[in-house]
Amino acid sequence: MFTWKKGVALVSMVLLGLSLAACGSQPSATNQPAKDKKLVVGFAQIGAESEWRTAETNSIKETAEKLGVDLKFSDAQQKQENQIKAIRSFIAQKVDVIALAPVVESGWETVFKEAKDAKIPIILVDRGAKVDESLYTTFIGSDFIQEGKNAAAEMAKLLNNKGNIVELQGTVGASAANDRKKGFEEGLQAFPDMKIIKSQSGDFTRAKGKEVMEAFLKSDGKNIQAVYAHNDDMAIGAIQAIEEYGLKPGVDIKVVSIDGVKGIFEAMAAGKANVTVECNPLLGPQLFDAAKKLAAGEKVERWIKTEEGIFRADTAKEVLPTRKY
Ligand code: AHR
């Protein structure tokens, strides 16, 4: 039999049911729609061996902050094993995209396959890796072979096509070292009277560049007309060694290097270095643009190239204040 009490209870139950249904259709704080989710990117950096590397790290951190990307940053202290550990930890954390600057070219197959199995795209930043192309999505960075060729052409102008060169190579096994060497040697083929008389790794650092240049000067002294350094930091180290040896860098021994950091512009402005072939480290914007597209399931170009120039001593003073790194 219908009573007022039963009627009120029934109406209350219906109202409660309706309000629960309405709540269920709203996104709750813990169940945000995918489009509002922060992009999570893991970046396995090599270390901080050069002015260039620091500029790259800053560009990546600043861009992530500006775009509101959750960046998981790891510094491998120049060790591949640390980069591999970092990638495994990014996989375990289920990041959206993994990016890395591979310290050396080889030895990445296994860990890249692990990322692929976990459906996490890999982006190579600034240095290449010798792996099957299906294991990474894109390479963002420079044409290191072309940089080496440009350095050879500049060297030929400085030496009037003739002279002995010593070479300071980058980190052994790094794409930046292998390709800059290859490009330079290819470029020299057009100049049979220009020869590399000594070549050794200075590990992309000032201290090592200085140490190796000291050894070159000790063994070959005044027989050296020029130094080709795979990066500006090693060239700056070599400049110190040349001065301590009692010769004038940029005059007695020509100095050509790669990167375009402020330090080498200062050296060029002081007449101690001759040419730098630019290699742009400000890759943050391109990295996160690609990462965003990949996370949204879009395709990106296989090689995202950066724009670069060649700078000589005669314009260094004027250009220096405009340099961003
Ligand atoms: O991979 C790019 C190279 O690495 C830069 O030329 C050098 O300065 C850096 O350490």
Side-chain angles (χ1 to χ4, degrees):
M1 198 177 102
F2 179 83
T3 65
W4 279 113
K5 259 192 186 170
K6 279 185 185 163
V8 169
L10 190 69
V11 171
S12 313
M13 274 166 66
V14 171
L15 285 175
L16 182 69
L18 282 174
S19 70
L20 279 177
C23 279
S25 67
Q26 294 293 318
S28 72
T30 51
N31 183 23
Q32 292 290 318
K35 72 177 169 59
D36 291 342
K37 200 186 145 266
K38 257 193 174 188
L39 177 68
V40 185
V41 177
F43 182 63
Q45 179 58 293
I46 294 171
E49 72 282 3
S50 62
E51 240 184 283
W52 189 99
R53 183 71 47 205
T54 305
E56 185 192 56
T57 293
N58 291 344
S59 167
I60 288 170
K61 286 186 174 172
E62 281 161 18
T63 313
E65 195 169 338
K66 200 165 111 197
L67 299 176
V69 172
D70 181 358
L71 176 68
K72 310 216 174 284
F73 183 90
S74 156
D75 178 336
Q77 315 268 323
Q78 310 296 318
K79 290 199 178 93
Q80 182 178 35
E81 69 211 62
N82 290 345
Q83 285 193 302
I84 291 174
K85 266 189 216 153
I87 294 170
R88 291 204 166 117
S89 137
F90 297 150
I91 295 171
Q93 292 173 71
K94 298 187 171 35
V95 301
D96 298 311
V97 175
I98 291 173
L100 75 148
V103 60
V104 291
E105 286 190 289
S106 53
W108 298 103
E109 288 276 336
T110 308
V111 74
F112 281 17
K113 271 186 193 146
E114 290 168 25
K116 194 175 184 192
D117 290 346
K119 301 201 170 23
I120 302 176
I122 291 218
I123 297 179
L124 300 182
V125 182
D126 109 63
R127 288 193 193 168
K130 276 189 182 148
V131 287
D132 189 276
E133 288 214 341
S134 66
L135 294 178
Y136 66 91
T137 54
T138 181
F139 167 68
I140 302 173
S142 315
D143 185 339
F144 293 142
I145 294 184
Q146 190 56 49
E147 288 174 351
K149 285 184 182 168
N150 292 345
E154 292 298 317
M155 191 66 98
K157 285 186 221 160
L158 289 165
L159 294 181
N160 290 324
N161 305 344
K162 191 176 167 139
N164 293 332
I165 303 160
V166 293
E167 179 183 33
L168 294 169
Q169 296 180 38
T171 302
V172 176
S175 67
N178 293 343
D179 291 352
R180 286 172 183 170
K181 179 166 185 53
K182 187 170 184 242
F184 191 76
E185 285 172 353
E186 279 177 21
L188 283 195
Q189 280 169 15
F191 308 100
D193 293 331
M194 279 171 43
K195 286 195 174 50
I196 300 174
I197 57 165
K198 282 271 153 75
S199 181
Q200 201 180 309
S201 171
D203 215 9
F204 282 129
T205 68
R206 270 180 209 204
K208 247 330 204 36
K210 180 170 186 254
E211 196 184 303
V212 176
M213 191 66 200
E214 280 167 355
F216 287 163
L217 286 162
K218 208 170 167 196
S219 61
D220 292 80
K222 294 191 174 126
N223 208 16
I224 302 169
Q225 277 81 53
V227 54
Y228 164 50
H230 289 188
N231 81 343
D232 291 341
D233 278 73
M234 290 190 294
I236 292 166
I239 288 169
Q240 287 170 17
I242 296 167
E243 283 182 320
E244 285 170 20
Y245 187 75
L247 291 176
K248 285 192 177 138
V251 181
D252 300 323
I253 297 184
K254 308 288 184 203
V255 180
V256 174
S257 53
I258 296 174
D259 274 357
V261 299
K262 281 184 184 160
I264 205 72
F265 276 86
E266 281 158 8
M268 288 198 294
K272 297 180 182 184
N274 305 89
V275 177
T276 186
V277 175
E278 190 181 33
C279 177
N280 189 354
L282 308 178
L283 303 176
Q286 286 150 305
L287 166 59
F288 294 111
D289 183 54
K292 239 198 301 183
K293 286 183 180 152
L294 290 167
E298 291 169 36
K299 284 221 157 106
V300 295
E301 279 172 70
R302 286 294 305 169
W303 185 354
I304 301 169
K305 281 195 189 172
T306 39
E307 267 185 41
E308 286 153 354
I310 296 173
F311 296 95
R312 304 176 184 95
D314 58 350
T315 58
K317 263 193 203 128
E318 174 195 322
V319 175
L320 179 56
T322 69
R323 297 301 293 167
K324 294 199 176 70
Y325 63 96

